[in-house]
Amino acid sequence: TARQKALPSICCYTFKDAPEGVSSTAFSADSTLLAAGFQESYIRLWSTRGERLRALRTDFDISEVKDLREIRERHGTTTRKLVGHSGPVYALSFDPTGGAAAPPRFLLSSSADATVRLWSLDTMTNVVAYRGHTKPIWDVEWSPRGIYFATGSRDHTARLWTSDRVLPLRIFAGHLSDVDCVKFHPNSLYLATGSSDSTCRLWEVQTGLCVRVFLGHQGPVTAMATSPDGKYLASAGEDLAINLWDLGTGKRVKKMTGHTATIYSLAFSQETSVLVSGGADWTVRCWDVKSSGGLATKSSGGGAGAGEDATIADANGFVKRTAGGGGGGGTEATAEKEEDDNFATRDLMETFPTKRTPILNVHFTPRNLCLAAGFYQPPVGEMPFERR
């Protein structure tokens, strides 16, 4: 069908035997690097191509260097460990200036130690520590054109920074609780923030003024994404709903439901026709952005709804259809009382299950390949790794 043709290919990276606890992941814009932040306060880097990571050597005379390739390590290693934070690493963001054409040169990380750190991917070392927030920093993101980046913290503020200054340029204050996620508009002139106060806000970067307040979630907002065409903002929360907002009018376009646990990440396809989400219910789900959405038809108690099919989601989040009977039986009455969030909306295109893997991050490449990353959760009683 047309819907199946529109579905993206999805490549999922799963962390196994990670007793330290994976708390965040990120893909580079050119899709060649994968970074993971751990509860034990360090970061690890891998090449998605399986290549060795080679840093610049330190035992050289700068006056004799003509080409950087001369001073790179000859062999390198398959993974790199970055140590510097003193608390769990909650968010990571690769420098986007190279785009899909070149590998990134810098990585940003935010932590429970209330700092953001800038890492050089040439030397694999920490370059700068940015201090300003007074409590843990939940999220950090580069602006689409680099140089500037934004953070969201437990101190109820979001802040705008530039990589060449250690103090923030702007403080965005207005949320009544933690700022859990931040996301730049594609034109870099606006910043969206999601909070535990159940609202999203849109801020003007140049003035620091709040220009939109989005009301509609029934719980903390845990993930956001802005569409590449700049028209839409998608937000997801602990209420298991994804809201699609029109940034021009500030109104909600539609509400998408189907996830059965907290949603951790959202991403739009390059042409803004598909939205992908990943969450704690071990699934990646694809949504039709252009569809009108709405709940699938549910049987009504009266005769007018008799014979219609009710669509509900089972414990794993897969859509099930139950044939409607006549005269409003007990099953129909029970279905009628179900909360709307327990039903998958019609714009859910497909659900891709994983093997006990909460999805921490979803990311679209310029060629519309969807990359996902998460960590395997062993069943209760199963040893997560061998103790030697």
Short mmCIF file of all heavy atoms in Angstrom, two decimals, residues 210-241:
data_model
loop_
_atom_site.label_atom_id
_atom_site.label_comp_id
_atom_site.label_asym_id
_atom_site.label_seq_id
_atom_site.Cartn_x
_atom_site.Cartn_y
_atom_site.Cartn_z
N CYS A 210 9.27 35.10 25.29
CA CYS A 210 8.43 33.95 24.99
C CYS A 210 7.33 34.37 24.03
O CYS A 210 6.54 35.29 24.33
CB CYS A 210 7.82 33.40 26.29
SG CYS A 210 6.72 31.99 26.02
N VAL A 211 7.25 33.74 22.86
CA VAL A 211 6.28 34.14 21.83
C VAL A 211 5.14 33.14 21.67
O VAL A 211 4.13 33.45 21.03
CB VAL A 211 6.98 34.37 20.48
CG1 VAL A 211 7.92 35.57 20.57
CG2 VAL A 211 7.74 33.12 20.02
N ARG A 212 5.28 31.94 22.22
CA ARG A 212 4.21 30.93 22.16
C ARG A 212 4.24 30.10 23.44
O ARG A 212 5.31 29.77 23.96
CB ARG A 212 4.38 29.98 20.98
CG ARG A 212 4.24 30.61 19.60
CD ARG A 212 2.78 30.78 19.21
NE ARG A 212 2.67 31.18 17.83
CZ ARG A 212 2.79 32.44 17.39
NH1 ARG A 212 3.05 33.41 18.25
NH2 ARG A 212 2.66 32.72 16.10
N VAL A 213 3.05 29.75 23.92
CA VAL A 213 2.91 28.78 25.01
C VAL A 213 1.96 27.70 24.52
O VAL A 213 0.84 28.01 24.09
CB VAL A 213 2.37 29.42 26.30
CG1 VAL A 213 2.20 28.35 27.38
CG2 VAL A 213 3.29 30.52 26.79
N PHE A 214 2.40 26.45 24.55
CA PHE A 214 1.59 25.34 24.04
C PHE A 214 1.05 24.53 25.22
O PHE A 214 1.82 23.93 25.98
CB PHE A 214 2.44 24.44 23.13
CG PHE A 214 3.08 25.18 21.98
CD1 PHE A 214 4.41 25.57 22.05
CD2 PHE A 214 2.35 25.49 20.84
CE1 PHE A 214 5.01 26.25 21.00
CE2 PHE A 214 2.94 26.17 19.78
CZ PHE A 214 4.27 26.56 19.86
N LEU A 215 -0.27 24.51 25.36
CA LEU A 215 -0.94 23.80 26.45
C LEU A 215 -1.70 22.60 25.89
O LEU A 215 -2.41 22.73 24.89
CB LEU A 215 -1.93 24.73 27.17
CG LEU A 215 -1.35 26.04 27.74
CD1 LEU A 215 -2.47 26.94 28.25
CD2 LEU A 215 -0.38 25.73 28.86
N GLY A 216 -1.54 21.44 26.52
CA GLY A 216 -2.26 20.28 26.02
C GLY A 216 -1.80 18.97 26.64
O GLY A 216 -2.56 18.01 26.70
N HIS A 217 -0.56 18.91 27.11
CA HIS A 217 -0.08 17.69 27.74
C HIS A 217 -0.64 17.57 29.16
O HIS A 217 -0.94 18.57 29.82
CB HIS A 217 1.44 17.66 27.77
CG HIS A 217 2.06 17.29 26.46
ND1 HIS A 217 2.01 16.02 25.94
CD2 HIS A 217 2.73 18.04 25.55
CE1 HIS A 217 2.63 15.99 24.77
NE2 HIS A 217 3.08 17.21 24.51
N GLN A 218 -0.74 16.34 29.63
CA GLN A 218 -1.23 16.06 30.98
C GLN A 218 -0.12 15.59 31.91
O GLN A 218 -0.38 15.07 32.98
CB GLN A 218 -2.33 14.97 30.91
CG GLN A 218 -3.47 15.30 29.96
CD GLN A 218 -4.20 16.58 30.35
OE1 GLN A 218 -4.49 16.79 31.53
NE2 GLN A 218 -4.49 17.42 29.37
N GLY A 219 1.11 15.77 31.50
CA GLY A 219 2.26 15.36 32.30
C GLY A 219 3.52 15.99 31.76
O GLY A 219 3.49 16.76 30.78
N PRO A 220 4.68 15.72 32.37
CA PRO A 220 5.95 16.30 31.92
C PRO A 220 6.21 16.02 30.44
O PRO A 220 5.89 14.95 29.93
CB PRO A 220 6.99 15.59 32.80
CG PRO A 220 6.23 15.22 34.04
CD PRO A 220 4.84 14.89 33.58
N VAL A 221 6.80 17.00 29.76
CA VAL A 221 7.16 16.86 28.34
C VAL A 221 8.58 16.29 28.27
O VAL A 221 9.52 16.87 28.83
CB VAL A 221 7.09 18.22 27.63
CG1 VAL A 221 7.51 18.08 26.16
CG2 VAL A 221 5.68 18.80 27.72
N THR A 222 8.72 15.16 27.62
CA THR A 222 9.99 14.43 27.65
C THR A 222 10.78 14.49 26.34
O THR A 222 11.96 14.17 26.33
CB THR A 222 9.73 12.95 27.98
OG1 THR A 222 8.75 12.42 27.06
CG2 THR A 222 9.18 12.81 29.41
N ALA A 223 10.14 14.87 25.24
CA ALA A 223 10.84 14.90 23.95
C ALA A 223 10.16 15.89 23.01
O ALA A 223 8.95 16.11 23.10
CB ALA A 223 10.85 13.50 23.31
N MET A 224 10.95 16.47 22.11
CA MET A 224 10.42 17.39 21.12
C MET A 224 11.18 17.23 19.80
O MET A 224 12.30 16.72 19.77
CB MET A 224 10.56 18.84 21.59
CG MET A 224 9.67 19.23 22.75
SD MET A 224 9.69 21.01 23.04
CE MET A 224 11.43 21.30 23.21
N ALA A 225 10.55 17.70 18.71
CA ALA A 225 11.21 17.74 17.41
C ALA A 225 10.56 18.85 16.60
O ALA A 225 9.35 19.05 16.67
CB ALA A 225 11.08 16.41 16.68
N THR A 226 11.37 19.60 15.84
CA THR A 226 10.85 20.60 14.92
C THR A 226 10.96 20.05 13.50
O THR A 226 11.96 19.40 13.17
CB THR A 226 11.62 21.92 15.03
OG1 THR A 226 13.02 21.66 14.93
CG2 THR A 226 11.33 22.61 16.36
N SER A 227 9.97 20.32 12.68
CA SER A 227 9.97 19.79 11.32
C SER A 227 10.99 20.53 10.47
O SER A 227 11.24 21.73 10.68
CB SER A 227 8.58 19.92 10.70
OG SER A 227 8.19 21.28 10.60
N PRO A 228 11.62 19.86 9.51
CA PRO A 228 12.62 20.51 8.65
C PRO A 228 12.08 21.71 7.89
O PRO A 228 12.85 22.63 7.57
CB PRO A 228 13.03 19.39 7.69
CG PRO A 228 12.79 18.12 8.45
CD PRO A 228 11.56 18.40 9.26
N ASP A 229 10.77 21.74 7.59
CA ASP A 229 10.20 22.89 6.88
C ASP A 229 9.86 24.03 7.82
O ASP A 229 9.42 25.10 7.39
CB ASP A 229 8.97 22.49 6.07
CG ASP A 229 7.83 21.94 6.93
OD1 ASP A 229 7.89 22.07 8.18
OD2 ASP A 229 6.87 21.39 6.36
N GLY A 230 10.05 23.83 9.14
CA GLY A 230 9.85 24.89 10.10
C GLY A 230 8.42 25.19 10.47
O GLY A 230 8.15 26.13 11.22
N LYS A 231 7.47 24.37 10.02
CA LYS A 231 6.05 24.67 10.26
C LYS A 231 5.51 24.03 11.54
O LYS A 231 4.57 24.56 12.14
CB LYS A 231 5.22 24.19 9.07
CG LYS A 231 5.48 24.95 7.78
CD LYS A 231 4.58 24.42 6.66
CE LYS A 231 4.82 25.19 5.37
NZ LYS A 231 3.97 24.67 4.25
N TYR A 232 6.09 22.91 11.94
CA TYR A 232 5.50 22.15 13.02
C TYR A 232 6.48 21.90 14.17
O TYR A 232 7.69 21.82 13.97
CB TYR A 232 4.98 20.80 12.52
CG TYR A 232 3.97 20.89 11.42
CD1 TYR A 232 4.30 20.51 10.11
CD2 TYR A 232 2.68 21.35 11.65
CE1 TYR A 232 3.37 20.59 9.09
CE2 TYR A 232 1.75 21.44 10.64
CZ TYR A 232 2.10 21.07 9.35
OH TYR A 232 1.18 21.15 8.35
N LEU A 233 5.90 21.75 15.34
CA LEU A 233 6.62 21.27 16.52
C LEU A 233 5.89 20.04 17.03
O LEU A 233 4.67 20.07 17.21
CB LEU A 233 6.66 22.34 17.61
CG LEU A 233 7.19 21.89 18.98
CD1 LEU A 233 8.69 21.65 18.92
CD2 LEU A 233 6.87 22.94 20.06
N ALA A 234 6.62 18.95 17.24
CA ALA A 234 6.04 17.75 17.84
C ALA A 234 6.57 17.63 19.25
O ALA A 234 7.77 17.84 19.50
CB ALA A 234 6.40 16.51 17.03
N SER A 235 5.69 17.32 20.19
CA SER A 235 6.10 17.15 21.59
C SER A 235 5.48 15.88 22.14
O SER A 235 4.36 15.51 21.79
CB SER A 235 5.67 18.36 22.43
OG SER A 235 4.26 18.50 22.43
N ALA A 236 6.23 15.21 23.01
CA ALA A 236 5.75 13.97 23.62
C ALA A 236 5.97 14.04 25.12
O ALA A 236 6.90 14.69 25.59
CB ALA A 236 6.50 12.77 23.04
N GLY A 237 5.10 13.37 25.88
CA GLY A 237 5.20 13.45 27.32
C GLY A 237 4.93 12.14 28.02
O GLY A 237 4.68 11.10 27.39
N GLU A 238 4.97 12.22 29.34
CA GLU A 238 4.68 11.04 30.15
C GLU A 238 3.20 10.67 30.12
O GLU A 238 2.82 9.63 30.65
CB GLU A 238 5.14 11.28 31.59
CG GLU A 238 6.66 11.32 31.72
CD GLU A 238 7.13 11.43 33.17
OE1 GLU A 238 6.27 11.38 34.08
OE2 GLU A 238 8.34 11.56 33.39
N ASP A 239 2.37 11.51 29.49
CA ASP A 239 0.96 11.16 29.30
C ASP A 239 0.78 10.23 28.11
O ASP A 239 -0.34 9.93 27.72
CB ASP A 239 0.11 12.42 29.13
CG ASP A 239 0.57 13.30 27.97
OD1 ASP A 239 1.55 12.92 27.29
OD2 ASP A 239 -0.05 14.36 27.74
N LEU A 240 1.90 9.78 27.52
CA LEU A 240 1.94 8.80 26.42
C LEU A 240 1.36 9.36 25.12
O LEU A 240 1.04 8.60 24.20
CB LEU A 240 1.20 7.50 26.79
CG LEU A 240 1.52 6.90 28.16
CD1 LEU A 240 0.83 5.55 28.32
CD2 LEU A 240 3.02 6.77 28.36
N ALA A 241 1.21 10.66 25.02
CA ALA A 241 0.65 11.29 23.83
C ALA A 241 1.71 12.12 23.11
O ALA A 241 2.63 12.66 23.73
CB ALA A 241 -0.53 12.19 24.21
#
